[in-house]
Amino acid sequence: MADWLAAIILGLVEGLTEFIPVSSTGHLLLAKQLLGLADEPWNTFIVMIQLGAILAVVVVYFQRLWKVLLGLPGKDPAARRFALSVLLAFFPSAVLGLLFHDFIKDVLFDPMIVCVTLIVGGFALIALERWAPPARIDDSMGFSWKTALGVGIAQCLSIIPGVSRSGATIVGGLLLGVDKRAAAEFSFFLAIPTMVGAFALDFWESRELLTGDVVSLIAIGFVVSFFSGLFVVKTLVDFVGRYGFAPFAAWRILVGTIGLLVMWAYA
């Protein structure tokens, strides 16, 4: 398969899965395996194209984010509270990402780990749909520092491919009494510093791999992930409000099970 076509496929997978609780990294690693692509530069490609999907969040929520930026210099309490909540939630995974960057890429980027965590996470979502505590927080931009930090700690689980960054943060929010829509939106906002940080770290760590050809492939994946991510961000909150997380749980279990069966068949 031509590299440019592989970049389009992976960019589409990234954009469609980044913001739903099914693990974009897990799906990308499985897709890479199925396409027969080498670990490098494609593992670096997988991390760096996530910034395209994050740009979709900025576009969709531009007015609300811009209002926060304008309010910070004027010491708007609501703007400062929101900015602090995102930074607090970002901090735990940022520390772990810096400490375990090489271990994550060299050891945890394993299709078997991805499949197992997809299945386990699917059953966790099913359990949460049934036994989640009553929602008492419905404003994604008004989290207390304790709620934000709790969501950030939950996000740390997503350093394991297959867990899902959005899934970990949404589950963390639901367990802390956040309603589904607010949990999904805060997951969008938290994705911005998290994925920008991951992009910057991987850019620096993998700078020697970034030849002209690799950068061109990343650019293709970036654009495709942006437009597919734009579609998901615009539709996900309403979808979750209507159907909950059960469809994503079923998808996780299905994909993880098929992945394990394929690996066992070709072992």
Side-chain angles (χ1 to χ4, degrees):
M1 176 182 291
D3 284 348
W4 64 268
L5 182 57
I8 291 175
I9 293 172
L10 294 179
L12 189 62
V13 171
E14 160 59 25
L16 293 177
T17 60
E18 176 61 44
F19 302 109
I20 62 178
V22 299
S23 177
S24 61
T25 302
H27 277 69
L28 286 165
L29 290 173
L30 293 178
K32 178 178 75 74
Q33 187 85 356
L34 289 173
L35 294 173
L37 303 174
D39 284 346
E40 291 297 354
W42 291 101
N43 281 348
T44 295
F45 172 94
I46 285 172
V47 174
M48 299 189 75
I49 65 168
Q50 293 174 342
L51 195 62
I54 300 310
L55 183 60
V57 174
V58 176
V59 170
V60 172
Y61 288 95
F62 179 79
Q63 289 186 335
R64 290 168 68 176
L65 294 172
W66 185 247
K67 183 179 179 180
V68 170
L69 288 176
L70 292 179
L72 288 175
K75 299 183 179 180
D76 178 359
R80 285 187 297 172
R81 181 177 182 179
F82 171 68
L84 179 60
S85 69
V86 172
L87 289 175
L88 280 173
F90 165 65
F91 181 74
S93 61
V95 173
L96 285 183
L98 285 171
L99 292 175
F100 297 106
H101 175 265
D102 292 340
F103 176 78
I104 293 168
K105 288 188 68 176
D106 296 341
V107 178
L108 297 184
F109 272 35
D110 183 300
M112 182 68 72
I113 292 176
V114 169
C115 291
V116 171
T117 51
L118 280 173
I119 295 170
V120 172
F123 283 110
L125 281 176
I126 291 173
L128 190 67
E129 281 281 83
R130 182 170 299 183
W131 293 298
R136 53 184 175 77
I137 302 169
D138 60 5
D139 180 7
S140 62
M141 303 187 81
F143 281 18
S144 69
W145 70 267
K146 290 182 179 179
T147 300
L149 186 58
V151 171
I153 292 172
Q155 182 175 242
C156 292
L157 292 173
S158 67
I159 68 170
I160 305 171
V163 168
S164 169
R165 186 206 59 78
S166 60
T169 55
I170 289 171
V171 166
L174 294 178
L175 290 174
L176 292 169
V178 181
D179 76 8
K180 294 175 182 178
R181 297 174 68 91
E185 282 193 343
F186 190 78
S187 178
F188 294 161
F189 299 138
L190 180 53
I192 297 173
T194 301
M195 299 319 303
V196 168
F199 175 92
L201 178 59
D202 215 76
F203 177 85
W204 178 253
E205 294 284 344
S206 306
R207 60 192 182 279
E208 295 180 357
L209 297 173
L210 300 179
T211 62
D213 290 341
V214 173
V215 171
S216 297
L217 292 175
I218 291 173
I220 293 172
F222 183 97
V223 172
V224 175
S225 69
F226 167 74
F227 283 106
S228 53
L230 196 64
F231 167 77
V232 173
V233 173
K234 286 183 175 181
T235 58
L236 179 63
V237 172
D238 288 337
F239 181 91
V240 167
R242 181 174 300 179
Y243 300 107
F245 297 108
F248 304 121
W251 177 258
R252 290 178 65 103
I253 294 169
L254 177 64
V255 171
T257 302
I258 292 175
L260 287 178
L261 292 174
V262 169
M263 282 185 284
W264 284 335
Y266 287 92

